[in-house]
Amino acid sequence: MSTSVSTNILDNLKLEVETIIENENLSVDHRLTQICEALESKVDYYDWVGFYFKNGDKPELKLRAYAGEETDHTIIPFGKGICGQVAVSNENFVVPDVKAQDNYIACSIYVKAEIVIPLFVNGENIGQIDIDSHTADPFTDADTDFLVWVNKKVSELLEA
């Protein structure tokens, strides 16, 4: 069963994300955290939202900003879990049921679904947005399109 968020909520979130990104009085990390908090608080089935970025020259991702429960997964090796796979594949990855994934890293017993969208700067995959949901199979094409848009805005912030 799919739970879709209304287009109106996503349109309002786009305005909020743009306002956050344009606030030059805040550090980049503070703005990334505010984006996570906005998404996590406004979309019912976004139960954990985080940005992971490539950790220097190491073949791993490092958690930089998030909203939701604390996680032990602050470093994720490339290829491990959904995030690690996206770091290698450069492709969006929607997981309707985490139990059906062999390479899933369990962050919480409550997580039922996950979506990970790579973040590109100048054509290079430098990170990703990761969203966990306590709802089974909630993500639609509208979520994917919205999160691709969010990452495009974040990449513009990081390029600036």
Side-chain angles (χ1 to χ4, degrees):
M1 182 189 141
S2 189
T3 310
S4 78
V5 67
S6 79
T7 310
N8 194 29
I9 290 173
L10 294 182
D11 287 344
N12 288 339
L13 264 174
K14 282 184 176 182
L15 293 172
E16 191 169 343
V17 167
E18 285 181 330
T19 301
I20 291 166
I21 285 175
E22 290 167 4
N23 186 351
E24 294 178 5
N25 293 324
L26 299 176
S27 70
V28 170
D29 284 351
H30 195 140
R31 286 183 267 180
L32 290 173
T33 299
Q34 283 194 337
I35 291 168
C36 293
E37 290 168 348
L39 272 58
E40 191 262 343
S41 68
K42 301 279 185 345
V43 181
D44 291 345
Y45 54 91
Y46 287 12
D47 295 298
W48 190 92
V49 178
F51 283 103
Y52 285 93
F53 287 92
K54 188 173 179 209
N55 191 11
D57 292 333
K58 298 175 186 171
E60 64 186 21
L61 297 164
K62 183 174 183 178
L63 183 62
R64 186 163 168 187
Y66 72 95
E69 292 181 29
E70 282 195 35
T71 180
D72 292 336
H73 301 118
T74 57
I75 301 289
I76 299 175
F78 284 7
K80 188 162 170 56
I82 308 308
C83 292
Q85 289 178 70
V86 169
V88 173
S89 73
N90 300 322
E91 301 285 331
N92 299 340
F93 200 155
V94 179
V95 182
D97 178 6
V98 296
K99 289 186 183 95
Q101 285 295 318
D102 293 339
N103 194 15
Y104 172 69
I105 301 172
C107 295
S108 161
I109 59 169
Y110 303 110
V111 176
K112 293 188 167 106
E114 183 174 12
I115 185 170
V116 180
I117 307 293
L119 196 155
F120 297 93
V121 171
N122 299 320
E124 180 189 352
N125 181 354
I126 62 141
Q128 55 202 229
I129 190 168
D130 174 26
I131 298 180
D132 291 342
S133 180
H134 299 170
T135 304
D137 194 15
F139 303 113
T140 67
D141 289 345
D143 293 292
T144 301
D145 294 345
F146 170 68
L147 296 170
V148 166
W149 178 89
V150 168
N151 277 359
K152 185 174 183 304
K153 290 294 176 186
V154 169
S155 74
E156 291 169 6
L157 168 65
L158 297 174
E159 287 172 349

